[in-house]
């Protein structure tokens, strides 16, 4: 099997370190690793495939050498500056920030849902928002079987979504990242408020859902909330369908999807929680029931580790999907 030179930008951060773990766990064919980060982190050593790799400072010349893939997780401003430089050098960039998600012509990918947009493509690829990612395979099943009429999200997002500082605030009751303490609290704001009263995080979910599912006119709304959980986002989904359904049919259809686990037996108090998904790549779904207030509408509850499937793992899966669809040796 051909092996590839891979750069990880933001390698010392929470998601960057997890990317290294996922690359190793999934046996991605890495020849040379280039861990890149800020000047402050340069010189640190990171373990990967039985070796210690020295972190280099990210500069404009970082990609002027043979690099095949660059996995970015260093924030939107860093991606805005350096991703085009890498792409111009022929590097396939997979970016975990919000910088490129809504740019026309740049694929926004969840491999279980829309891998076909990778066919013949080379350049910058966007990784969706963590909360969006965990809902997409579920919505694809519903779209394909029944048609989608409207989606309502209510999220319960973990502290790890705000990085190491978010976890620190949760553990210590501080406000390094959050406006108010997260410990013993919930915060109905993620990202900045916009003039319409929605937050930027809520609009991310709205627009990304429409783009990934290729339904630009689909009515979607969201309320995004930070909760005192370390890892694992939860999302309550209220989905209005074009056709009627049987709940058991939906359970069976979801259970057939690789990477999805249906955990839904209310009579025996079986339902998913963030502890089920912590440090795992599996998406769990449960509380599947008919909405008694609207026709053809189903309620679902899903949980996933926002650092793994919601970020690092989906990024690596995009690289795997690109290889399988564009390289014969893969």
């Amino acid at each position: 099997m051909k092996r590839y030179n891979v750069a990880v930008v933001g390698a010392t951060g929470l998601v960057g370190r997890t990317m290294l773990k996922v690359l190793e766990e999934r046996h991605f064919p890495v020849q040379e690793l280039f861990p890149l980060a800020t000047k402050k982190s340069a010189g640190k050593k990171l373990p990967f495939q039985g070796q210690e790799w020295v972190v280099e400072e990210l500069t404009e010349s970082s990609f002027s050498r043979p690099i095949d893939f660059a996995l970015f997780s260093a924030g939107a401003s860093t991606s805005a500056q350096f991703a085009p430089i890498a792409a111009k050098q022929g590097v396939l960039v997979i970016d975990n920030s919000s910088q490129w998600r809504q740019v026309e012509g740049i694929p926004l990918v969840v491999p279980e849902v829309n891998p076909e947009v990778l066919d013949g493509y080379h350049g910058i690829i966007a990784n969706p928002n963590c909360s969006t990612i965990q809902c997409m395979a579920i919505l694809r099943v519903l779209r394909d079987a029944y048609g989608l009429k409207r989606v309502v999200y209510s999220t319960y997002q973990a502290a790890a979504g705000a990085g190491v500082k978010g976890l620190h605030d949760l553990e210590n009751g501080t406000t390094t990242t959050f406006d108010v303490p997260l410990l013993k609290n919930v915060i109905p704001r993620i990202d900045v408020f916009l003039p319409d009263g929605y937050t930027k995080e809520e609009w991310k979910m709205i627009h990304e859902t429409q783009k990934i599912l290729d339904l630009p006119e689909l009515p979607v709304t969201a309320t995004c909330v930070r909760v005192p959980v370390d890892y694992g986002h939860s999302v309550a989904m209220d989905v209005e369908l074009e056709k009627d359904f049987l709940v058991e049919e939906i359970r069976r259809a979801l259970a057939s999807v690789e990477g999805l686990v249906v955990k839904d037996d209310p009579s025996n108090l079986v339902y998913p929680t963030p502890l089920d998904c912590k440090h795992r790549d599996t998406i769990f779904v449960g509380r599947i029931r008919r909405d008694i207030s609207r026709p053809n509408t189903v309620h679902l509850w899903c949980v996933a580790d926002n650092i793994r499937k919601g970020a690092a793992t989906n990024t690596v899966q995009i690289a795997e999907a690109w290889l399988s669809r564009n390289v014969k040796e893969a």
Side-chain angles (χ1 to χ4, degrees):
M1 175 186 290
K2 183 179 177 181
R3 306 188 76 80
Y4 299 89
N5 295 338
V6 178
V8 176
V9 180
T12 58
L14 188 58
V15 173
R17 289 176 183 268
T18 306
M19 283 178 177
L20 297 179
K21 290 180 183 179
V22 174
L23 286 165
E24 192 162 10
E25 290 170 3
R26 297 179 70 90
H27 305 291
F28 192 84
V30 177
Q31 178 68 39
E32 290 287 329
L33 178 71
F34 298 95
L36 303 172
T38 62
K39 184 177 182 179
K40 182 179 178 181
S41 295
K44 291 182 179 180
K45 294 182 179 180
L46 295 174
F48 182 74
Q49 292 183 343
Q51 300 181 49
E52 293 280 313
W53 300 79
V54 178
V55 177
E56 302 176 24
E57 180 185 358
L58 174 65
T59 68
E60 292 189 358
S61 62
S62 293
F63 303 100
S64 58
R65 53 191 166 180
I67 295 176
D68 301 295
F69 293 90
L71 312 183
F72 274 68
S73 186
S77 60
T78 299
S79 294
Q81 180 179 355
F82 290 99
I85 294 171
K88 190 174 181 179
Q89 294 288 340
V91 180
L92 187 79
V93 174
I94 305 173
D95 179 49
N96 198 54
S97 80
S98 61
Q99 176 64 34
W100 307 102
R101 293 174 185 161
Q102 293 305 317
V103 175
E104 187 174 354
I106 290 184
L108 181 67
V109 182
V110 176
E112 298 91 337
V113 178
N114 62 336
E116 67 281 354
V117 299
L118 298 173
D119 292 351
Y121 179 85
H122 201 289
I124 299 171
I125 301 167
N127 194 49
N129 178 272
C130 43
S131 292
T132 306
I133 286 171
Q134 70 188 69
C135 301
M136 288 301 98
I138 296 167
L139 289 177
R140 180 191 62 79
V141 169
L142 298 176
R143 179 199 66 185
D144 293 352
Y146 306 102
L148 298 178
K149 197 169 182 180
R150 182 172 184 254
V151 177
V152 180
Y153 294 122
S154 297
T155 76
Y156 305 73
Q157 296 180 221
V164 173
K165 290 182 179 179
L167 290 169
H168 180 271
D169 280 357
L170 173 62
E171 293 167 2
N172 297 285
T174 53
T175 54
T176 304
T177 296
F178 306 120
D179 304 327
V180 297
L182 182 60
L183 183 65
K184 299 182 180 180
N185 202 9
V186 298
I187 304 173
R189 178 186 78 85
I190 300 177
D191 214 324
V192 299
F193 281 112
L194 300 174
D196 60 9
Y198 281 74
T199 65
K200 192 174 180 181
E201 181 84 355
E202 290 157 356
W203 273 110
K204 289 175 192 174
M205 291 196 72
I206 293 165
H207 291 313
E208 290 173 23
T209 297
Q210 294 166 333
K211 183 172 180 177
I212 295 165
L213 295 174
D214 195 24
L215 294 171
E217 303 303 320
L218 177 68
V220 183
T221 191
T223 299
C224 295
V225 178
R226 189 77 69 189
V227 297
V229 170
D230 54 1
Y231 292 87
H233 288 354
S234 304
V235 183
M237 305 166 63
D238 190 64
V239 186
E240 186 174 358
L241 305 172
E242 296 282 357
K243 303 174 185 176
D244 199 6
F245 61 90
L246 296 175
V247 169
E248 189 53 41
E249 286 179 349
I250 290 178
R251 286 195 187 100
R252 286 197 298 268
L254 293 174
S256 69
V257 177
E258 185 177 356
L260 276 182
V261 170
V262 175
K263 189 175 182 181
D264 189 33
D265 185 2
S267 63
N268 290 302
L269 304 181
V270 174
Y271 45 80
T273 74
L275 287 177
D276 293 312
C277 66
K278 186 175 180 178
H279 304 323
R280 301 176 65 182
D281 294 327
T282 308
I283 299 168
F284 291 84
V285 59
R287 297 298 317 278
I288 304 169
R289 63 203 188 279
R290 185 179 291 274
D291 185 332
I292 61 172
S293 70
R294 294 178 70 89
N296 301 345
T297 302
V298 61
H299 287 295
L300 309 99
W301 169 266
C302 71
V303 300
D305 187 310
N306 53 298
I307 300 299
R308 288 191 63 101
K309 179 53 182 170
T313 301
N314 200 73
T315 301
V316 175
Q317 287 176 314
I318 291 171
E320 293 171 341
W322 186 90
L323 283 175
S324 70
R325 302 182 75 92
N326 294 283
V327 180
K328 290 181 180 180
E329 292 88 348

